[in-house]
Amino acid sequence: MTSEITWVSLLIYLSYKTSTNDEGSGMEPYIFLIIAFLDSLISAVFGLGSGFIVLSFGSLFIPIKDCIALTTILFMASTFTKTILYRQHINWRLSATIALGSLPFSWLGAETLATINPEPLRPLLSGFIILSVIISTLGLKLSLPQRTSIALGVAALYGYVSGLLSSGNPIKALALDRMGFEKQSFIGVMAATALGVNTTKLISYSDNSILRAEHYPIGTALIIISIASALIGKKLIYKIENHRYKQGLSIILIFSAIILLFK
């Protein structure tokens, strides 16, 4: 584990030196990459929260649309890696329904982003975080059946919010939690169902110049960071008790919501 962290640290430094040579980037790549690594590690353990953490803290140092584009690269690499690592725990029928059903709505959300300023949407994004934490903390028993019709409804809302705000994970997480998925299965399904959405967003962001060539050096670093953090996370998850797991997730989300609201 120590060697993996050292490897990522070296990568972050080299990526920083490369990206600071790009004229007119207007970014703070070194700080962003550190945030991305810490965030990706948290996501690898809890399966949720990565979008809000990177967007909340990353947007303090780089423009919001650049942050959204780079965060999507981080998501794509992270979800692909976790899908492979937890493939034996995944309900593939349900995952395929959500993944495919969310595609057109993800595209619609991403296209909407290209025409509006996302800054006023921060309170909405924060509201999703707070709502998910409240429901989890209160332990409200609202069970959802593992049916195709329910999965399609979740896919539509998740896809659109994900395309528009870069992450609709709280919606999906609430649904999967109410469907009764356990820890490893939860992480696996969360990752598998995001593959289609992330691919769609990357295509749309590239077409609309939200994702540009100047992002590629940092994007390459984010891919390797995602792989390393997923491997570390798999080692850590077995050591965390279930009640500690839920407490940690609640703290992470609430802190992100506060930062997002008061930026």
Side-chain angles (χ1 to χ4, degrees):
M1 186 177 300
T2 301
S3 62
E4 289 169 327
I5 294 177
T6 302
W7 175 45
V8 173
S9 299
L10 177 61
L11 175 68
I12 290 174
Y13 175 75
L14 293 176
S15 299
Y16 165 68
K17 298 300 289 184
T18 300
S19 57
T20 51
N21 291 329
D22 294 339
E23 295 183 1
S25 64
M27 295 184 179
E28 298 289 349
Y30 186 65
I31 299 175
F32 179 80
L33 288 171
I34 292 174
I35 294 171
F37 172 63
L38 296 175
D39 162 76
S40 188
L41 184 57
I42 292 171
S43 177
V45 174
F46 293 101
L48 176 66
S50 61
F52 295 130
I53 294 173
V54 172
L55 287 174
S56 298
F57 291 98
S59 60
L60 295 173
F61 301 99
I62 66 176
I64 183 64
K65 286 194 176 183
D66 288 334
C67 187
I68 289 174
L70 291 170
T71 298
T72 304
I73 295 176
L74 182 71
F75 287 172
M76 187 66 207
S78 178
T79 53
F80 182 77
T81 304
K82 286 185 288 187
T83 297
I84 295 175
L85 291 177
Y86 296 98
R87 60 189 179 279
Q88 69 271 25
H89 300 285
I90 296 175
N91 181 326
W92 288 104
R93 178 186 61 80
L94 185 66
S95 297
T97 300
I98 295 176
L100 295 176
S102 63
L103 291 181
F105 296 95
S106 174
W107 181 269
L108 180 60
E111 291 294 310
T112 302
L113 175 64
T115 63
I116 67 172
N117 176 11
E119 292 291 340
L121 298 176
R122 287 180 178 273
L124 177 62
L125 183 58
S126 181
F128 283 131
I129 304 172
I130 295 172
L131 176 62
S132 66
V133 173
I134 289 175
I135 292 177
S136 177
T137 302
L138 293 178
L140 300 179
K141 302 298 181 181
L142 180 59
S143 297
L144 291 175
Q146 295 186 16
R147 295 177 181 172
T148 301
S149 58
I150 298 295
L152 287 174
V154 172
L157 190 55
Y158 157 65
Y160 184 77
V161 174
S162 183
L164 183 62
L165 300 178
S166 187
S167 179
N169 276 339
I171 296 171
K172 183 172 63 175
L174 289 174
L176 295 181
D177 181 59
R178 296 301 175 259
M179 289 178 181
F181 288 95
E182 298 298 331
K183 192 162 50 177
Q184 285 83 1
S185 182
F186 177 82
I187 294 174
V189 174
M190 285 287 291
T193 53
L195 290 174
V197 166
N198 289 328
T199 301
T200 302
K201 288 190 294 182
L202 284 177
I203 294 172
S204 176
Y205 293 166
S206 296
D207 289 343
N208 290 291
S209 297
I210 295 174
L211 177 63
R212 303 179 299 278
E214 67 192 67
H215 296 134
Y216 294 165
I218 302 179
T220 301
L222 291 175
I223 292 172
I224 302 178
I225 284 173
S226 297
I227 296 172
S229 59
L231 293 172
I232 295 171
K234 189 176 182 181
K235 295 179 181 179
L236 295 176
I237 191 172
Y238 294 100
K239 301 179 180 180
I240 303 176
E241 298 178 356
N242 288 334
H243 71 283
R244 296 293 184 188
Y245 182 88
K246 292 185 177 181
Q247 289 174 353
L249 180 59
S250 296
I251 292 172
I252 292 166
L253 293 177
I254 285 292
F255 193 55
S256 297
I258 293 173
I259 292 296
L260 191 62
L261 278 174
F262 292 99
K263 178 183 179 299

